[in-house]
Amino acid sequence: MRNLITLFILSLSIVVIQAQEMTVSGKVTDSKTGQVLPGVSIIIKNTVSGTETDFDGNYKIKAANGSSLIFSSIGYTTKTIVVNGSVINVSLEEDSEQLEEVVIIGYGSKAKKDVTGAVSLVDSQTIEDLKPVDASLALQGTTSGVSINTASGSPGSGFNILIRGISSNRANGPLVVVDGLAGANLNTINPNDIESVSVLKDAQAAIYGIQGANGVILVTTKSGRKNAKMKITYDVYTGIQETTKKLDYLNATEYAFILNESYAAGGQSLPFPDVSNITNNTDWQDEIFANAFMINHNVGISGGSEKINYYLGASRLEQDGIIAPEKSNFIRNNVRLTLGIDLSDKVKISTTTNYFTNFRRSISENGLGSVLFNALNYAPTYSLDQEDTTGFLGNEVINPLSQIRDTYNDYFGSSLEGTFQIEYTPIKDLTVTSRIGYKTYSDKGKTFLPIVNYGAGKVFNRDRSQVDQSRTNSNNYNWETFINYKKTLADDHNFEATLGTSMQKSWGDGLFATGYDVPNNSWDFADISLANGINNALTNGSYVFDNRLLSYFGRLQYDFKGKYLISGMIRRDAASDFTPENRVDYFPSVTAGWKVSEESFMKNIDFLNFFKLRASYGFLGTNAGGNLFRAQLNGEGTYVLDDTIVNGIAVGTLPNTDARWERGEKLDIGFDATLFKNKLEITADYFQEDRNDLLIPNIPVSGIIGTAAPGSGSPTVNAGTSRVKGFEFAIKYKDNIGDDFYYNVNYNVTRVQGEVTKINGDVIIEGGAFGVGQLAPVRMEVGQPIGYFYGLQTDGVFQTVDEVNNSPSQSGLLGIDAVPGDLKYVDVNGDGVIDFDDRTYIGNPQAEYIMGLNLSFNYKNWDFTTYMYSELNKEMVRNYERDQPNVNRHAFYLDRWKGPGTSNEVPRITTGATNNKLFSSFYVEDASFLRIQNIQLGYSLPDSVLERVGFSKVRLFTTVNNAFTFTNYKGFDPAATTGQAIGGGIDYGFYPLSRQYLLGLNLAF
């Protein structure tokens, strides 16, 4: 018995001794080079306790004897070592699979060297450098073939994304997929939460079938690493915003002289007989533009154990507008959670959840009568609080400060979106994945229009107050299940098969109502429950929608010895947007690649590390024409009920039961190469797309079926074809000079050319607007790019009476003959008369060349980056000048024609009737530009300091976003566009993007 007690006490002592913690230290190195490895994660197995190696590869950790330490680092295989002493040195081996850059290709991933399609990749470092408010901006200038533009620089405005130009007269935006959730919105994502963005540009996107014709953007958000200690990051930046440009407009004296001259030329008495007696000289742009504040906070927590990895991110952005910041601002909040759990060696689950809210207030912008439009046209001779009570400036121009004062609105939206995924690996190389994605978004908005009087006859006058309120709700979910199977036969034949199904449903509803006679004419009482006025017209409305998509897809990838690669895919889609006879289609594609550099005859070319030829061909779709087969009650109707005329609704545009989606046929041929010890990377592509079955509106039909009724119209028919072709070229060089200086140069250029190749019946689509009451300035027709500008071509300014007499008469336009000083129009059809039949192509709003140049330099603890973006060979229409005799004008009118030889570009000024205000090339300007969109300088504290302060990273930085724009365009922003294929390049005074001066801090511990 005594022996048993002694044995028990001895055993217990051994356990206690083993359980006692000791300080374990050592150094971690690269097994091949022997170089120390900083930032290696070390955690105690089955715990969350851990540390990281310092700059010299050293570490210290308290661990019990017999416990296991897990060493892990990106690019190296994970190693587990049992503690059996106080000093443990570890060497890690490179993991070739981790070192290879991985690209998401839809329902799977691929090493970049094995990708056979045209795919671009943007990483989290690029996003960190750019500090974009919207994640879309991270693609601008960094990704070949992609252009990013916006209709407005106001806070909270979204961006328009085009991949390889415009192919359709309807929708051209790409499909966005975030962590497997299709139909997501980049504006709802915190850019700091993004790990990488893949852009599918060619037939490889056919795996998304009916949704892939405009390209696919695949976003992967951040997740924690397994076997990594908890890492906490805090990033903040704050700064001031300002306008990048103010237009050069006339001051009060110049304005008075110009008006006197125009009145004299029109035979009228002078409005300013004593110019020296003008008391006001108001610069309305100075009054509406302001320096605006912005701040962004971001917190991230990540880590993982042997079976679990996690990431939690939270952010808040506050941004004021540079026009009327008290009435124009944006607040966005994001909370994102990503969690992965290995339930067993065969079953893994993961989930992502993003909660998003946004609050926004806005002003009238980008149109006739907007705040900026009024600031440009209001006379500088008026004081700040002076209204145009006599209507001197016309009925559409009012005091912009009064307009801001009387602007009341707010908008709030919230969203919950995410995915839940389970992976099951029943046998080696076979993985079954089932994933549910969901998104629900609800919002509410309110606008109050008070009783106001801005002067005689102003269209903005209101004798009744009004409140407009809305609530909407939209939902989307998709359920996808697919299997991936990999198999190698005879060592050389490698197969990978993907087979799956997808079900998507989108549904929602909205309610709108208007109330009149708000109590006290006040925003404080602006609610339809308090507005007790009545109106004869309909004051409320609603809508519902329900769209569904059922898909089956498959992909087979094969390579022989890793050198010859081929991939085939097909997707079957059935969409509820069309009739049962037309709602099913198949989208096949094939891609292939040849790694030429792995051939024996290439082995002696020392400077060439990698060279791959690739090609793709296939068909994709876009359901831009949904529900065209249904009759909509959106027309206007007038009825007699109880002997009273009542305004109501009627059937609108005629339905087309034969409508189906547009179909893209895509071809891409390209190569990828790396040279000089992988320091130089080159990628090049030639691409071509034929977009078939374009949905053309207003195809003429018989007038007896009622298309002339108010609100009605001819049906939309699949009746056109377009072709877009071009090339992409990207080159990247990275190297170092000595041990302290590293640099990276990245340049890309894309050329895009598009034209309409067929429209049934030679129908011409017109759109856009210029001035008031003029013919449509934009067209779509065979042989021209979609949305080109169509108007009169000018050939200078008439200088003398003889020149007028020896030129074709312009009386065919407005019945007005030209005189010296008027614009000289070209007789395009050669019939000897200038009339509206002489209108022709005068510009294209789509850039022919898109370029990006990105530079980065690192010297010791300093880092510098700059990103540049350019668009060339594009035009915009100057439409922010109001055609009224007394409004203010651009300063280029100081160089007007005043007599023979004075000007051959700017016509005379007069209050008399002329043809000079008609839409012509005089109003179309070259909008090519180069923008330095980001300059950033940062400094990181050295590791010796970090050890003392207890942080793993402390970095201070300063950034200038949208720093400089070099252009000849006279407007605010040469990159702005409404995003419409037809009419997108007409400038009513686009709200300019702000220039941002930021100071920031990055912390990690």
Side-chain angles (χ1 to χ4, degrees), residues 122 126 129-130 138-144 731-733 743-748 851-857 864-869 931 933-934:
V122 176
T126 300
D129 291 342
L130 286 169
L139 301 175
Q140 189 180 60
T142 63
T143 309
S144 61
I731 184 169
K732 179 179 181 180
Y733 186 79
Y743 63 93
N744 190 321
V745 180
N746 192 338
Y747 170 76
N748 65 80
M851 293 185 288
L853 175 62
N854 312 315
L855 309 174
S856 63
F857 306 95
F864 174 84
T865 58
T866 182
Y867 288 78
M868 290 167 263
Y869 178 70
R931 172 168 291 162
Q933 61 184 34
N934 174 272

Coordinates of all heavy atoms in Angstrom, one line a residue, residues 122 126 129-130 138-144 731-733 743-748 851-857 864-869 931 933-934:
V122 N -7.1 42.4 -58.3 CA -6.7 43.6 -57.4 C -6.7 43.1 -56.0 O -7.6 42.5 -55.5 CB -7.8 44.7 -57.6 CG1 -7.4 45.8 -56.6 CG2 -7.8 45.2 -59.0
T126 N -3.6 47.2 -52.8 CA -4.0 48.3 -53.7 C -5.2 49.1 -53.0 O -5.2 50.3 -53.1 CB -4.4 47.7 -55.0 OG1 -3.3 47.0 -55.6 CG2 -4.9 48.8 -56.0
D129 N -3.8 51.3 -50.4 CA -3.1 52.5 -50.9 C -4.1 53.6 -51.4 O -3.9 54.8 -51.1 CB -2.2 52.1 -52.1 CG -1.1 51.2 -51.7 OD1 -0.7 51.2 -50.5 OD2 -0.5 50.5 -52.5
L130 N -5.2 53.2 -52.0 CA -6.1 54.1 -52.6 C -7.0 54.8 -51.6 O -7.6 55.9 -51.9 CB -6.9 53.4 -53.7 CG -6.1 53.1 -55.0 CD1 -6.9 52.2 -55.9 CD2 -5.8 54.4 -55.8
A138 N -11.3 51.2 -56.6 CA -10.0 50.4 -56.5 C -9.7 49.8 -57.9 O -8.6 49.4 -58.1 CB -10.1 49.3 -55.5
L139 N -10.7 49.7 -58.8 CA -10.5 49.1 -60.1 C -10.1 50.1 -61.1 O -9.6 49.8 -62.2 CB -11.8 48.4 -60.6 CG -12.3 47.3 -59.7 CD1 -13.7 46.8 -60.3 CD2 -11.4 46.2 -59.6
Q140 N -10.2 51.4 -60.8 CA -9.9 52.5 -61.8 C -8.4 52.7 -61.9 O -7.7 53.0 -61.0 CB -10.6 53.8 -61.3 CG -10.5 54.9 -62.3 CD -11.2 56.2 -61.8 OE1 -10.7 56.8 -60.9 NE2 -12.2 56.6 -62.5
G141 N -8.0 52.4 -63.1 CA -6.6 52.6 -63.4 C -5.7 51.4 -63.1 O -4.5 51.3 -63.5
T142 N -6.2 50.5 -62.2 CA -5.4 49.3 -61.8 C -5.7 48.1 -62.6 O -5.0 47.1 -62.5 CB -5.7 49.1 -60.3 OG1 -7.1 48.7 -60.1 CG2 -5.4 50.3 -59.5
T143 N -6.8 48.1 -63.3 CA -7.3 46.9 -64.0 C -7.5 47.2 -65.5 O -8.3 48.1 -65.8 CB -8.6 46.4 -63.4 OG1 -8.5 46.3 -62.0 CG2 -9.0 45.1 -64.0
S144 N -6.8 46.6 -66.4 CA -7.0 46.8 -67.8 C -8.4 46.4 -68.2 O -9.0 45.4 -67.7 CB -5.9 46.0 -68.6 OG -6.1 44.6 -68.4
I731 N 1.8 45.8 -68.2 CA 3.2 45.5 -67.9 C 3.5 45.9 -66.5 O 3.1 47.0 -66.1 CB 4.1 46.2 -69.0 CG1 5.6 45.8 -68.7 CG2 4.0 47.7 -69.0 CD1 6.5 46.2 -69.8
K732 N 4.2 45.1 -65.8 CA 4.6 45.4 -64.4 C 6.0 45.0 -64.2 O 6.5 43.9 -64.6 CB 3.7 44.6 -63.5 CG 4.0 44.7 -62.0 CD 3.0 43.9 -61.2 CE 3.3 44.1 -59.7 NZ 2.3 43.3 -58.9
Y733 N 6.8 45.9 -63.5 CA 8.2 45.6 -63.2 C 8.4 46.0 -61.8 O 8.0 47.0 -61.3 CB 9.1 46.5 -64.1 CG 10.6 46.1 -63.9 CD1 11.1 45.0 -64.6 CD2 11.4 46.9 -63.1 CE1 12.4 44.7 -64.4 CE2 12.7 46.5 -62.9 CZ 13.2 45.4 -63.6 OH 14.6 45.1 -63.4
Y743 N 11.0 49.1 -55.6 CA 10.1 49.9 -56.4 C 9.3 48.9 -57.3 O 9.6 47.8 -57.6 CB 10.9 50.9 -57.3 CG 11.9 50.3 -58.3 CD1 11.5 50.0 -59.6 CD2 13.2 50.0 -57.9 CE1 12.4 49.5 -60.5 CE2 14.1 49.4 -58.8 CZ 13.7 49.2 -60.1 OH 14.5 48.6 -61.0
N744 N 8.1 49.5 -57.7 CA 7.2 48.7 -58.5 C 6.5 49.7 -59.5 O 6.0 50.7 -59.1 CB 6.1 48.1 -57.6 CG 5.2 47.1 -58.3 OD1 4.8 47.3 -59.4 ND2 4.8 46.1 -57.6
V745 N 6.5 49.3 -60.8 CA 5.9 50.1 -61.8 C 4.9 49.3 -62.6 O 5.2 48.2 -63.0 CB 7.0 50.7 -62.8 CG1 6.3 51.5 -63.9 CG2 8.0 51.5 -62.1
N746 N 3.7 49.8 -62.7 CA 2.6 49.0 -63.3 C 1.9 49.9 -64.3 O 1.3 50.9 -63.9 CB 1.6 48.5 -62.2 CG 0.7 47.5 -62.7 OD1 0.4 47.4 -63.9 ND2 0.1 46.7 -61.8
Y747 N 1.8 49.5 -65.5 CA 1.1 50.3 -66.6 C 0.2 49.4 -67.3 O 0.5 48.2 -67.7 CB 2.2 50.9 -67.5 CG 1.5 51.6 -68.7 CD1 0.9 52.8 -68.7 CD2 1.6 50.9 -70.0 CE1 0.3 53.4 -69.8 CE2 1.0 51.5 -71.1 CZ 0.4 52.7 -71.0 OH -0.2 53.3 -72.1
N748 N -1.0 49.9 -67.7 CA -1.9 49.1 -68.5 C -2.6 50.1 -69.5 O -2.9 51.3 -69.1 CB -2.9 48.4 -67.7 CG -3.8 49.2 -66.9 OD1 -4.8 49.8 -67.4 ND2 -3.5 49.4 -65.6
M851 N -6.2 54.1 -69.8 CA -4.8 53.8 -69.3 C -4.7 54.0 -67.8 O -5.4 54.8 -67.2 CB -3.8 54.6 -70.0 CG -3.7 54.4 -71.5 SD -2.3 55.3 -72.3 CE -3.1 56.9 -72.3
G852 N -3.8 53.2 -67.2 CA -3.5 53.4 -65.8 C -2.0 53.3 -65.6 O -1.3 52.4 -66.2
L853 N -1.4 54.1 -64.7 CA 0.0 54.0 -64.4 C 0.1 54.1 -62.9 O -0.3 55.1 -62.3 CB 0.8 55.1 -65.0 CG 2.3 55.2 -64.7 CD1 3.0 54.0 -65.1 CD2 2.9 56.5 -65.3
N854 N 0.7 53.1 -62.3 CA 0.8 53.0 -60.8 C 2.3 52.8 -60.4 O 3.0 51.9 -60.9 CB 0.0 51.9 -60.3 CG -1.4 51.8 -60.9 OD1 -2.1 52.9 -61.0 ND2 -1.9 50.7 -61.3
L855 N 2.7 53.7 -59.5 CA 4.1 53.6 -59.0 C 4.2 53.5 -57.5 O 3.4 54.1 -56.8 CB 4.9 54.9 -59.4 CG 4.8 55.4 -60.9 CD1 5.4 56.8 -61.0 CD2 5.4 54.4 -61.8
S856 N 5.1 52.7 -57.1 CA 5.3 52.5 -55.6 C 6.8 52.4 -55.3 O 7.5 51.7 -56.1 CB 4.5 51.3 -55.1 OG 5.0 50.1 -55.6
F857 N 7.2 53.0 -54.2 CA 8.6 53.0 -53.8 C 8.6 52.8 -52.3 O 7.8 53.3 -51.5 CB 9.3 54.3 -54.1 CG 9.2 54.7 -55.6 CD1 8.2 55.6 -56.0 CD2 10.0 54.2 -56.5 CE1 8.0 55.9 -57.3 CE2 9.9 54.5 -57.9 CZ 8.9 55.4 -58.3
F864 N 6.0 55.2 -50.6 CA 5.3 56.2 -51.5 C 4.6 55.5 -52.6 O 5.1 54.5 -53.2 CB 6.4 57.1 -52.0 CG 5.8 58.1 -53.1 CD1 5.2 59.3 -52.6 CD2 5.9 57.8 -54.4 CE1 4.7 60.2 -53.6 CE2 5.4 58.7 -55.4 CZ 4.7 59.9 -54.9
T865 N 3.4 55.9 -52.8 CA 2.6 55.3 -54.0 C 1.9 56.4 -54.7 O 1.5 57.4 -54.1 CB 1.6 54.3 -53.5 OG1 0.7 54.9 -52.6 CG2 2.2 53.1 -52.8
T866 N 1.7 56.2 -56.0 CA 0.8 57.1 -56.7 C 0.1 56.3 -57.8 O 0.7 55.4 -58.4 CB 1.6 58.3 -57.3 OG1 0.7 59.2 -58.0 CG2 2.7 57.8 -58.3
Y867 N -1.1 56.6 -58.0 CA -2.0 56.0 -59.0 C -2.5 57.0 -60.0 O -3.0 58.1 -59.6 CB -3.1 55.2 -58.4 CG -2.7 54.0 -57.6 CD1 -2.2 54.1 -56.3 CD2 -2.9 52.7 -58.1 CE1 -1.8 53.0 -55.6 CE2 -2.6 51.6 -57.4 CZ -2.0 51.8 -56.1 OH -1.6 50.6 -55.4
M868 N -2.4 56.7 -61.3 CA -2.9 57.6 -62.3 C -3.8 56.9 -63.3 O -3.7 55.7 -63.5 CB -1.7 58.2 -63.1 CG -0.8 59.1 -62.3 SD 0.7 59.5 -63.1 CE 1.8 58.4 -62.3
Y869 N -4.8 57.7 -63.8 CA -5.8 57.1 -64.7 C -6.1 58.1 -65.8 O -6.1 59.3 -65.6 CB -7.1 56.9 -63.9 CG -8.3 56.3 -64.7 CD1 -8.3 55.1 -65.2 CD2 -9.4 57.1 -65.0 CE1 -9.3 54.6 -65.9 CE2 -10.5 56.7 -65.7 CZ -10.4 55.4 -66.2 OH -11.5 54.9 -66.9
R931 N -5.6 61.9 -65.0 CA -5.9 62.2 -63.6 C -4.9 61.5 -62.7 O -4.7 60.3 -62.8 CB -7.4 61.8 -63.2 CG -7.7 61.9 -61.7 CD -9.2 61.7 -61.5 NE -9.9 62.9 -62.0 CZ -11.2 62.9 -62.3 NH1 -11.9 61.8 -62.1 NH2 -11.8 63.9 -62.7
Q933 N -4.9 60.3 -59.4 CA -6.0 60.0 -58.5 C -5.6 59.7 -57.1 O -6.4 59.8 -56.2 CB -6.9 58.9 -59.0 CG -6.2 57.6 -59.2 CD -7.1 56.5 -59.8 OE1 -8.0 56.9 -60.6 NE2 -7.0 55.3 -59.4
N934 N -4.3 59.5 -56.9 CA -3.9 59.2 -55.5 C -2.4 59.4 -55.4 O -1.6 59.0 -56.2 CB -4.2 57.7 -55.2 CG -3.6 57.3 -53.8 OD1 -2.5 56.9 -53.7 ND2 -4.4 57.5 -52.8

